[in-house]
Amino acid sequence: MNFTSRRRTHHRSEETEGPGLTALLPPPSVPGLDPDRELLLKEALLREAAATEPRGGLTPRASRPRRRLVRVMVPAVACALAVGGVVVVNLADAPGHGAAAVPGGRTPGTSEAAQLLDRIALAAAGQKQPTVRADQFVYIESKVAFAGQSAGGGEVTMPPAHTRQVWLSADGSRPGLLREEGEPDSSLGGDAPVYDLDGRGATPRPRTAHKKAASISDPTHEYVASLPTDPDALLKLIRDETHGQGQDPDQRAFTAIGDLLAETWAPPQVGAALYQAAAKIPGVTVIDAATDAAGREGVAVARTAHGQQTQWIFDRATYAFLGERTVLTESGDAGPAGTVVGTSAVLTRAAVDRTGEAPAPTTA
């Protein structure tokens, strides 16, 4: 399916002998849009127009062909549970340079991915989101599944998807909670409390010792809400903060953005900037059809690196983020190309007052 932005076209009668008066009028503004959304829309249309205009007489053609806080890495396929995060992996692969083709995939031009991400950014900017207080927790419920491999090696096996719930302190001052179906609860973040005495006989006053500074790799909601909304500045910050964390710089940036999308609750303008920043990363492509861990089918933005492809899956109609999946793009000991090694689906995001508290089900 081609995702072509909706544009109004103005037709003039073929019988008109000269320029009509309408040609002299300024273009009408887009009704019902606030200045931020209108700016995003203009940027999207300008980018699309530039991408579809032939350069040097050449017709644009399809060309080249990645996630979150808990991650599956292949070939080791070790499910690394990074405190406070979920990594997802699954597949509807598009072939990249040297990557094996996966059924249902294709290799569209980079401009197509940029156009799709512009539309996703525009939709994100228009989302309504309540304010999360500093003393609250961000609650995220997901369905996840991660491939496992026996100690002796061999091909990986994928278990059924299970429920994952995480509560993350908005300002990072209190321990969060991770609850996974079939596993004991785990405390997330937060340092052990210490107590101060203001004087002999005074009531001990608790405080948090050695509070760790939030970062791209270990974010709090307050930190995410403070991120730049300029895509270039945001991408530079992400590259700087993930420097030296392995992989290549482009894949590190794509992975970091995917992590923020999957298990934080970015305010609308920050969310839009994350998608616009992702559009600037080389090698990002579009997958026409991909399915998340809850069985919801959508369109995906993907990147292939190191024998794997990570896909961010979005609802076709609303462009809402649905989940992620990662698949092998090269055959090896872990399995043939096309093997799904992880998948996730975000079901609910909300603000709650305490860990263990779940809100009424809402759309992610």
Side-chain angles (χ1 to χ4, degrees), residues 285-313:
T285 59
V286 174
I287 304 298
D288 284 337
T291 305
D292 70 9
R296 300 174 299 189
E297 193 268 347
V299 63
V301 173
R303 192 172 194 276
T304 301
H306 313 296
Q308 298 182 56
Q309 183 182 78
T310 299
Q311 304 167 359
W312 305 339
I313 307 170

Side-chain angles (χ1 to χ4, degrees), residues 303-354:
R303 192 172 194 276
T304 301
H306 313 296
Q308 298 182 56
Q309 183 182 78
T310 299
Q311 304 167 359
W312 305 339
I313 307 170
F314 300 89
D315 183 276
R316 292 184 184 280
T318 67
Y319 296 129
F321 179 82
L322 299 180
E324 282 188 334
R325 68 179 190 172
T326 300
V327 299
L328 303 182
T329 57
E330 299 174 0
S331 298
D333 293 342
T339 299
V340 178
V341 294
T343 181
S344 74
V346 180
L347 304 179
T348 304
R349 298 185 206 258
V352 296
D353 293 333
R354 59 189 63 84

Side-chain angles (χ1 to χ4, degrees), residues 96-306:
H97 294 303
V102 178
R106 61 182 179 139
T107 313
T110 301
S111 61
E112 183 176 10
Q115 291 167 22
L116 176 57
L117 283 164
D118 277 332
R119 298 187 195 109
I120 292 169
L122 184 62
Q127 292 297 309
K128 301 299 182 184
Q129 181 176 319
T131 300
V132 181
R133 300 194 315 268
D135 63 340
Q136 289 187 302
F137 292 83
V138 171
Y139 169 82
I140 300 175
E141 180 180 349
S142 307
K143 284 282 187 183
V144 302
F146 306 103
Q149 190 174 39
S150 67
E155 293 191 1
V156 299
T157 57
M158 177 70 89
H162 64 272
T163 300
R164 171 188 170 92
Q165 297 168 288
V166 63
W167 290 262
L168 301 172
S169 173
D171 66 358
S173 66
R174 293 176 293 166
L177 178 67
L178 171 64
R179 179 172 290 166
E180 296 212 46
E181 190 176 327
E183 299 290 337
D185 290 356
S186 300
S187 179
L188 300 178
D191 298 301
V194 296
Y195 295 87
D196 288 337
L197 284 176
D198 295 327
R200 186 183 297 273
T203 301
R205 176 168 50 83
R207 66 177 174 86
T208 302
H210 307 107
K211 181 179 177 181
K212 218 161 67 168
S215 65
I216 291 292
S217 300
D218 188 17
T220 64
H221 179 77
E222 284 192 347
Y223 175 83
V224 173
S226 72
L227 289 174
T229 54
D230 174 78
D232 291 308
L234 179 56
L235 184 57
K236 182 181 185 304
L237 174 68
I238 291 170
R239 290 189 186 280
D240 289 345
E241 289 208 12
T242 58
H243 180 73
Q245 294 182 8
Q247 305 177 333
D248 60 86
D250 292 330
Q251 187 62 20
R252 286 200 308 265
F254 192 85
T255 298
I257 293 173
D259 288 350
L260 293 171
L261 296 176
E263 215 155 65
T264 69
W265 199 17
Q269 293 303 321
V270 174
L274 286 169
Y275 293 123
Q276 290 179 307
K280 297 176 179 292
I281 299 175
V284 179
T285 59
V286 174
I287 304 298
D288 284 337
T291 305
D292 70 9
R296 300 174 299 189
E297 193 268 347
V299 63
V301 173
R303 192 172 194 276
T304 301
H306 313 296

